[in-house]
Amino acid sequence: MVSTHKKEKPWDTPDIDKWKIDEFKPEDNASGSAFLEESSFMTLFPKYREEYLKQVWPDVSKALKKHHIECTLNLVEGSMTVKTTKKTFDPVQILNARDLIKLLARSVPFPQAVKILQDDIACEVIKIDGYVSNKERFIKRRQRLIGPSGNTLKALELLTDCYMLVQGNTVAVMGPHLGLKTLRRVIEDCMQNIHPIYHIKELMIKKELAKNPDLANESWDRFLPQFKKRNVQRKKTKQSKEKKEKVYTPFPPQQLPRKVDLAIESGEYFLSKKEKKVKELQEKKQKQDEMKEMKQSERSKDYVAPEEDIRENPLMKKSKKRKHDDYEDENKSKKEKKHKSSSDDE
């Protein structure tokens, strides 16, 4: 049977926004009765947040009271608790209240954290301490997310429409689901030694391409930058030099000769102690003489005059040529005179 799911519906008009999230009201609760059981969530907070939470707690209870959710602050245990009441009608708001107290514990200010009660905003607390074992390297990579005077953080917030707070071993992120997905990728790559600037460039290009309706159904790969990894050549260690491709052979390697065997072959084994000492001294002297000659040759290099290009004066060349021509003319004239005198005598 042919599928008819694409058939036009009479109620499907172009003025309807299919992606709009409508507000959940008491009338939308199908049962109309209170929840069967009480749901509650508790979270601990650090000592340094105590003063701030005491100041802000009246505003927190006021914001949660609109959704009929109770909240308690226990300063003795250092905990915050939220729970549903008989008047609570929206089941999702208790989860949002849980996220609210979690964000307050992670040093997110109340004016920002209270936005989590909106339907179009979600949050996530990303742990970053497990990516790097070295503490100094971890601090450096975490600082990359913030950037110089917080510029990288601001750029990421503007491009993803999200709020981001780097605190301790976690990063608290708030915003739409698509922005959270991209930010998680940026944070994980940053902790794995990929700089956030590459993602920022990509996001900027995507934002400009999204404005063009002609490119909506096309692939954007040709516009996006493709960064290749460049492996920097480091100094080769001794182990890497020694490691070479070994050809497998079933036979064991030939046994190396002992020192005694080598001494017998060279004849040192049969020498007396005095003869051995004399031989050692001779070898030492020979080595010293060789080193002395090498050092002398190196020192003498400094005193060798370098080859210079001889520059000849063209005027001097002409004068020399004239003298040579004059000398040849004189010789010719002398020869002619001798020849004449010899002919006259005859």
Side-chain angles (χ1 to χ4, degrees), residues 49-59 73 75:
R49 292 290 288 169
E50 190 177 315
E51 284 296 319
Y52 180 77
L53 289 171
K54 272 199 284 185
Q55 292 172 10
V56 171
W57 201 250
D59 297 326
L73 176 68
L75 298 173

Side-chain angles (χ1 to χ4, degrees), residues 235-246:
K235 288 182 180 178
K236 289 181 180 178
T237 56
K238 288 181 181 179
Q239 290 180 353
S240 63
K241 285 180 182 178
E242 287 172 6
K243 282 180 182 178
K244 291 178 182 177
E245 290 182 5
K246 292 180 180 179

Side-chain angles (χ1 to χ4, degrees), residues 36-48:
L36 295 172
E37 288 187 13
E38 185 187 88
S39 299
S40 64
F41 295 98
M42 188 194 77
T43 186
L44 300 170
F45 60 86
K47 184 74 177 173
Y48 63 85

Side-chain angles (χ1 to χ4, degrees), residues 88-190:
T88 308
F89 60 89
D90 190 356
V92 175
Q93 287 304 332
I94 186 62
L95 301 175
N96 291 340
R98 177 202 61 185
D99 293 338
L100 172 65
I101 58 172
K102 186 165 64 175
L103 291 167
L104 288 169
R106 294 310 309 158
S107 299
V108 177
F110 172 72
Q112 180 62 41
V114 79
K115 290 178 184 176
I116 197 65
L117 298 173
Q118 298 172 16
D119 292 326
D120 58 338
I121 289 177
C123 79
E124 199 172 355
V125 178
I126 302 161
K127 288 185 178 181
I128 55 171
D129 57 339
Y131 290 97
V132 188
S133 56
N134 190 352
K135 193 178 180 182
E136 289 179 4
R137 200 176 292 163
F138 168 75
I139 292 162
K140 270 187 182 179
R141 290 184 187 177
R142 187 181 64 182
Q143 188 59 34
R144 279 184 199 167
L145 287 169
I146 302 163
S149 65
N151 289 335
T152 309
L153 194 75
K154 286 172 191 171
L156 288 168
E157 284 181 347
L158 288 166
L159 290 164
T160 56
D161 298 324
C162 291
Y163 172 81
M164 185 172 152
L165 179 75
V166 182
Q167 175 76 11
N169 295 333
T170 58
V171 181
V173 184
M174 280 180 69
H177 289 282
L178 186 64
L180 294 182
K181 190 181 176 182
T182 53
L183 269 180
R184 176 174 264 282
R185 188 162 62 93
V186 172
I187 291 159
E188 286 178 356
D189 286 351
C190 181

